[in-house]
Amino acid sequence: MSEKTDAELLMEELFYAPKHASYVCGDEEIRLADEFCEGYKSFLNACKTEREANAFTKAMAEKNGYAPFDRKGSYKAGDKVYCDIKEKALILCTFGRQPVENGTRIVASHIDSPRLDLKPNPLYEDSELALFKTHYYGGIKKYQWTTVPLSLHGVIFRKDGSRVNVRLGEDEGDPRFVVTDLLPHLDKQQSSRSAEDVVKGEDLNILVGSRPFLKEKCDKNVKLNIMKLLNEKYGIVEADFLKAELEMVPAYPAVDIGFDRSLIGSYGHDDRVCAYPSIMAEFAVENPEFTSVTVITDKEEIGSDGNTGLCSDYLRNFIADIARIQGAEGRDAIRASECLSADVNAGFDPTYPSVHDRNNAAFLNNGIVVTKYTGARGKGGTNDANAEFVSRVASIFDEAKVSWQIGELGKVDEGGGGTVAKYIANLGVDVVDVGVPVLSMHAPFEVVAKTDVYMAFKGFKAFLEKK
Ligand code: MN
Ligand code: MN
């Protein structure tokens, strides 16, 4: 006999109690989540940088019936287009049955992740070792990036203007690269420094070779040998580095974590774990009531500045363009638009409970996190979503049986952060942050739960399809 008491029944009725998605989903939906995450892992492995995510998504979009957007074209409901933003960001769009001036439904995520960028003049030799100087990109705990196998990605332009695409260290048989660290036997001084300075920015030097050019002795035989190999492989000379964009990222693939395989460990979940579900949701939308605008942006990790970040006008301009071809004003379309800023939030980590307020933290497997505001020091520097809009989004999720939870980015005054939400909100759009909770965020190996990834897909799709 397990009759519920009056108090238990009343608690069920009155209390907020987020649940592990497994109790809500059922076997079939768990299977769908696992299946969805196989696609996600492939995406992670193919897309280690914003350029790779852009190119991969463009190719997928073309297979799914998207054509390059023509600013002078004319489109009918259900037509699908993409707009390439300098090969680093991308907009996918499905025209709705209602005119664009009645508003669009935007889902915006980012495809850049913290990493080590090469300096413009990176290659040097010291003590008969060849190394690359780096300048880290985004908020990293620098000590985490030592002794991790790294791969090299990016583009180089030769003197004649021709372009070399580099992706080295991902395939079987490729060499890897690494930032070395001190042995514990000799780290007395190093380990007495604060964690922030244990490894300094200028210490993130990458080991790239050690054998000398043999024919005759000069003072940089190892560097010369590396440059000779690079010249043979890519046809470049040292001066071509000055014009290159090269990024070092962890070289290992995404893997299942746990005996139950319920989690995924990988580099770059932030924010591909929202980008991939949003792209798949966009592809799945057939004939939406409102025009869908799915943005995968660049430069979020360094503040969204620059012409591929969301502080620029590219999103506003795109919406203005699709409004204009229907004879409408861009500002009317923007004013009536609604947006999910799709970005990760910190998952509650039982090893480090003190940084969270348990009642306002996000837990792995409890579904996507709705984050009303981020910011720091008394909500500074954030979009604080309107209750009206949060309530609309919540009812869309409830109707579509999407598991969701509320979550703050840690305790008050514990730290803070931000997303693209405020830049889109500043246009006059209703925006709220919705995303997947992550453990070890910004580490070279982050962890998410598969059911949460799937709930992101379901949630974004329900939002884009809502009448
Ligand atoms: Mn992010
Ligand atoms: Mn981030």
Side-chain angles (χ1 to χ4, degrees):
M1 285 296 283
S2 60
E3 287 272 296
K4 286 181 180 164
T5 65
D6 287 350
E8 280 167 346
L9 289 169
L10 198 58
M11 270 165 56
E12 264 177 35
E13 191 189 329
L14 298 181
F15 281 8
Y16 166 60
K19 272 198 203 81
H20 193 295
S22 292
Y23 299 117
V24 186
C25 284
D27 292 346
E28 175 57 11
E29 195 152 49
I30 300 277
R31 194 190 61 74
L32 287 174
D34 289 349
E35 197 179 282
F36 184 81
C37 286
E38 290 306 304
Y40 173 47
K41 283 188 284 179
S42 307
F43 182 81
L44 283 168
N45 296 340
C47 306
K48 296 257 180 126
T49 65
E50 62 284 348
R51 283 181 187 271
E52 288 174 2
N54 166 295
F56 190 86
T57 307
K58 243 171 1 199
M60 273 200 298
E62 279 173 1
K63 279 192 200 120
N64 280 275
Y66 288 72
F69 175 59
D70 174 2
R71 281 185 295 139
K72 297 196 174 77
S74 72
Y75 296 99
K76 58 181 191 312
D79 283 351
K80 288 175 175 277
V81 296
Y82 67 83
C83 179
D84 194 346
I85 316 297
K86 301 190 183 290
E87 302 186 15
K88 294 184 186 175
L90 191 70
I91 300 173
L92 302 166
C93 167
T94 306
F95 283 87
R97 291 193 294 267
Q98 295 216 22
V100 171
E101 71 176 324
N102 290 356
T104 65
R105 297 291 173 269
I106 306 163
V107 178
S109 62
H110 66 93
I111 49 175
D112 61 318
S113 298
R115 59 178 190 251
L116 304 179
D117 284 351
L118 297 200
K119 287 193 182 188
N121 184 18
L123 181 61
Y124 69 104
E125 173 177 341
D126 194 339
S127 315
E128 298 191 300
L129 296 174
L131 299 119
F132 276 156
K133 290 301 292 181
T134 68
H135 196 140
Y136 66 95
Y137 174 97
I140 61 168
K141 292 166 83 164
K142 295 185 270 290
Y143 65 84
Q144 291 180 332
W145 291 72
T146 64
T147 64
V148 167
L150 300 170
S151 56
L152 178 66
H153 299 243
V155 295
I156 309 173
F157 289 92
R158 301 185 190 96
K159 196 170 182 188
D160 65 6
S162 58
R163 166 186 174 143
V164 193
N165 290 319
V166 178
R167 184 180 162 96
L168 183 63
E170 295 294 340
D171 293 334
E172 180 103 23
D174 278 359
R176 271 41 167 193
F177 309 93
V178 72
V179 177
T180 55
D181 196 1
L182 266 181
L183 60 170
H185 317 64
L186 295 177
D187 78 340
K188 200 165 173 345
Q189 262 198 5
Q190 183 197 36
S191 59
S192 70
R193 304 205 288 254
S194 73
E196 202 178 338
D197 283 329
V198 166
V199 173
K200 298 181 178 171
E202 288 288 351
D203 297 340
L204 292 169
N205 303 319
I206 296 174
L207 187 58
V208 301
S210 68
R211 278 188 185 159
F213 176 74
L214 281 178
K215 274 198 181 137
E216 63 224 28
K217 186 81 186 133
C218 67
D219 66 337
K220 291 195 174 73
N221 284 62
V222 175
K223 175 177 168 178
L224 183 60
N225 190 48
I226 294 297
M227 215 44 249
K228 183 170 171 283
L229 290 169
L230 288 171
N231 183 263
E232 284 161 11
K233 186 171 175 66
Y234 298 117
I236 58 164
V237 297
E238 189 177 20
D240 294 332
F241 276 123
L242 277 56
K243 306 161 283 169
E245 254 177 4
L246 293 165
E247 307 170 2
M248 285 278 186
V249 300
Y252 36 72
V255 292
D256 288 346
I257 296 282
F259 292 115
D260 57 7
R261 297 177 171 269
S262 60
L263 308 149
I264 304 170
S266 174
Y267 165 67
H269 281 312
D270 178 8
D271 185 32
R272 291 174 193 113
V273 74
C274 297
Y276 180 75
S278 80
I279 294 160
M280 298 316 280
E282 163 67 40
F283 289 168
V285 165
E286 287 295 342
N287 215 342
E289 184 75 8
F290 294 95
T291 298
S292 70
V293 177
T294 301
V295 187
I296 54 173
T297 194
D298 180 31
K299 294 289 180 280
E300 193 279 339
E301 293 296 355
I302 56 167
S304 296
D305 287 314
N307 61 8
T308 56
L310 275 174
C311 287
S312 79
D313 280 345
Y314 79 76
L315 175 61
R316 187 218 311 252
N317 288 345
F318 175 77
I319 294 175
D321 285 342
I322 57 174
R324 194 190 49 203
I325 57 179
Q326 294 185 353
E329 292 275 357
R331 61 169 180 264
D332 291 330
I334 287 162
R335 210 176 358 240
S337 288
E338 295 179 344
C339 172
L340 300 184
S341 161
D343 207 343
V344 298
N345 199 336
F348 184 90
D349 186 334
T351 307
Y352 301 101
S354 69
V355 301
H356 293 284
D357 162 18
R358 225 173 219 283
N359 290 341
N360 288 281
F363 291 78
L364 263 68
N365 282 302
N366 280 9
I368 42 177
V369 198
V370 175
T371 306
K372 192 173 180 295
Y373 49 83
T374 55
R377 293 172 302 281
K379 295 192 177 181
T382 184
N383 167 55
D384 193 349
N386 300 331
E388 289 84 345
F389 184 56
V390 177
S391 150
R392 249 183 67 71
V393 169
S395 65
I396 292 171
F397 291 164
D398 288 340
E399 224 172 86
K401 297 196 163 48
V402 175
S403 290
W404 66 277
Q405 57 184 323
I406 205 83
E408 276 198 319
L409 183 58
K411 271 184 181 166
V412 178
D413 291 341
E414 191 67 44
T419 65
V420 300
K422 64 175 174 177
Y423 308 116
I424 299 173
N426 288 348
L427 301 174
V429 175
D430 270 323
V431 187
V432 67
D433 275 300
V434 175
V436 173
V438 180
L439 297 180
S440 310
M441 195 198 293
H442 284 206
F445 193 73
E446 305 171 310
V447 175
V448 299
K450 289 181 180 177
T451 55
D452 296 332
V453 181
Y454 185 65
M455 287 302 158
F457 166 71
K458 260 180 88 170
F460 299 154
K461 184 164 175 281
F463 174 74
L464 293 179
E465 284 176 341
K466 177 72 185 168
K467 286 184 182 155

